Amino acid sequence: MYRRNWKHLQPSSMDHAMRLDLEYAKEMKNLSVERVADRMGIKHWTLYKYVDNGSLPSHLIRPFEHACECPHQFLTRYIAHSGHLMTIGIPTGRKAKAKNINALQSSCTNAIDALLKFADQEMTADETLNALTATMEDLAWHRAEVERTDLPELDFGE
């Protein structure tokens, strides 16, 4: 069975972002829409209405993402990206491990591949932008990690 690479998925709209958060909750945490709504303190049909309309009230964004337990926070990322901003996780200042560097290399390769496919008209502009944005965020996170190596955070059982 194919496993999605959740880290590099980019939402294309508000309702797509909400659906991605809910799909993550279902696939990775075994949380149904009803359980997510219960954790948010709202009725499940209300959550279905918000997802269908793509219009979650702003005061429910954080409870929604917290209830879905999705570390990628697709809804917040979509809002930032729609404002032409990038998002990165808060850096800890620890040295990168080999798997982190390999993931970065893979991300860079995917971005170059997307640019080549776009130039050959084999990939859409949106798909290319998603690949480039994911790579730019990965690079920005590594940059911030290097910047904070002099003052690393404590390891609390990560």
Side-chain angles (χ1 to χ4, degrees):
M1 184 176 164
Y2 173 74
R3 283 185 57 117
R4 276 197 241 194
N5 185 355
W6 291 99
K7 182 179 180 186
H8 292 289
L9 286 176
Q10 298 290 333
S12 58
S13 64
M14 188 87 148
D15 62 325
H16 183 231
M18 292 172 67
R19 288 179 199 282
L20 285 174
D21 277 327
L22 287 170
E23 287 173 20
Y24 181 91
K26 180 68 176 167
E27 289 180 28
M28 303 304 287
K29 302 295 182 176
N30 200 27
L31 295 171
S32 65
V33 174
E34 288 78 10
R35 286 183 63 197
V36 170
D38 187 49
R39 288 175 159 204
M40 291 174 63
I42 62 174
K43 302 290 184 193
H44 67 276
W45 59 79
T46 305
L47 183 56
Y48 278 118
K49 181 183 77 168
Y50 290 148
V51 173
D52 285 341
N53 295 339
S55 62
L56 186 68
S58 60
H59 71 280
L60 291 177
I61 292 173
R62 293 299 302 139
F64 172 72
E65 289 179 332
H66 182 71
C68 290
E69 296 184 29
C70 181
H72 309 294
Q73 301 173 342
F74 294 112
L75 193 51
T76 299
R77 285 174 57 198
Y78 171 73
I79 292 169
H81 291 174
S82 67
H84 303 289
L85 302 171
M86 288 191 311
T87 60
I88 63 168
I90 296 174
T92 59
R94 293 196 191 85
K95 292 186 180 182
K97 296 178 179 146
K99 70 177 186 174
N100 300 115
I101 304 299
N102 286 337
L104 177 63
Q105 178 64 40
S106 174
S107 181
C108 290
T109 302
N110 290 341
I112 299 299
D113 183 51
L115 283 172
L116 291 171
K117 286 181 178 177
F118 180 71
D120 291 339
Q121 298 177 347
E122 297 174 12
M123 189 176 266
T124 66
D126 284 341
E127 293 170 330
T128 306
L129 288 172
N130 289 343
L132 291 171
T133 301
T135 301
M136 288 169 38
E137 287 178 346
D138 287 346
L139 284 167
W141 181 81
H142 279 279
R143 181 188 183 282
E145 283 288 332
V146 170
E147 208 172 47
R148 295 196 56 185
T149 54
D150 291 337
L151 299 169
E153 293 183 4
L154 296 174
D155 184 7
F156 290 112
E158 291 181 354

